[in-house]
Amino acid sequence: MELNDFLTHVAQRRPLDTPEIQEFLNRMSDEARRVTFELNGSYHTMEEIQALMSRLFGRPVDASFRVFPPFYTDFGKNIHVGKDVFINACCHFQDQGGVTLGDGCLIGHDVVFATLNHDLNPERRAAMNPAPIVLGKRVWVGSHSTILQGVTIGDGAVIAAGAVVTKDVPANTIVGGVPAKFIRNIE
């Protein structure tokens, strides 16, 4: 299996349950660990960080992109970031299903993006089901939040610190709590 085949497979939200897919994921995980160990293991200038993140993502990042390591991912090739995106330290991107951060997104410390879920049937529990996470423009995700698979967050929304987001979030709203619930609109 090659990257484009895998990305087509997950875009269709098909389970990740074949030996071919498992072998591919193992190979990609090794590559992601190599890059993240290099990124997280010593000091780098922002330009060096951008080059490492471009290598990790498999495509160039914009010169306005900023990340404070450490940064963690077990895949890397299905992360898409816009311009003026900032990711703070200790974030975890489980991106096999796809993570998209629109222009101007701010991601707080220790945020988790989880695009995979296991099958509820105990006989198929090891099967993983992918679904993308998409953040619109100028979304602010507070520290220690978790965004779960299949969630779309509208432009200008705010995710309060510590929230667990299980459902879509409308634009220009604030949500918080576990699970995250509507708090108020942003005027």
Side-chain angles (χ1 to χ4, degrees):
M1 176 167 275
E2 297 300 321
L3 181 59
N4 286 337
D5 300 323
F6 178 81
L7 295 176
T8 298
H9 184 93
V10 297
Q12 298 167 351
R13 296 188 182 196
R14 293 171 46 204
L16 308 180
D17 59 356
T18 67
E20 180 184 29
I21 290 173
Q22 293 305 314
E23 186 279 326
F24 174 78
L25 288 173
N26 288 338
R27 192 166 24 108
M28 296 304 291
S29 179
D30 282 347
E31 183 178 326
R33 280 195 313 272
R34 249 184 250 109
V35 177
T36 56
F37 284 14
E38 184 177 346
L39 173 70
N40 298 334
S42 63
Y43 171 80
H44 299 283
T45 66
M46 195 53 65
E47 292 77 20
E48 292 168 333
I49 290 171
Q50 290 168 344
L52 286 164
M53 297 303 280
S54 295
R55 205 168 101 210
L56 182 63
F57 297 170
R59 72 190 68 73
V61 298
D62 190 79
S64 63
F65 175 67
R66 300 284 183 267
V67 64
F68 286 176
F71 176 88
Y72 305 99
T73 183
D74 49 1
F75 189 68
K77 297 294 190 265
N78 209 0
I79 300 171
H80 306 270
V81 296
K83 296 178 180 179
D84 298 313
V85 168
F86 174 72
I87 300 172
N88 220 323
C90 300
C91 290
H92 299 252
F93 281 56
Q94 181 196 54
D95 64 291
Q96 291 89 338
V99 175
T100 300
L101 306 179
D103 294 346
C105 283
L106 303 173
I107 310 301
H109 290 92
D110 203 30
V111 170
V112 173
F113 291 90
T115 66
L116 297 178
N117 206 352
H118 290 280
D119 202 293
L120 292 177
N121 177 344
E123 301 302 317
R124 295 189 35 79
R125 185 67 40 90
M128 294 178 289
N129 299 302
I133 295 170
V134 178
L135 277 60
K137 295 178 181 177
R138 299 171 312 284
V139 171
W140 174 20
V141 180
S143 296
H144 303 284
S145 294
T146 299
I147 315 297
L148 297 182
Q149 68 161 177
V151 167
T152 297
I153 300 174
D155 293 349
V158 175
I159 309 304
V164 176
V165 183
T166 61
K167 296 179 182 171
D168 290 353
V169 176
N172 299 310
T173 60
I174 300 171
V175 301
V178 179
K181 293 186 181 356
F182 173 82
I183 295 174
R184 69 179 177 91
N185 289 311
I186 300 170
E187 301 302 324

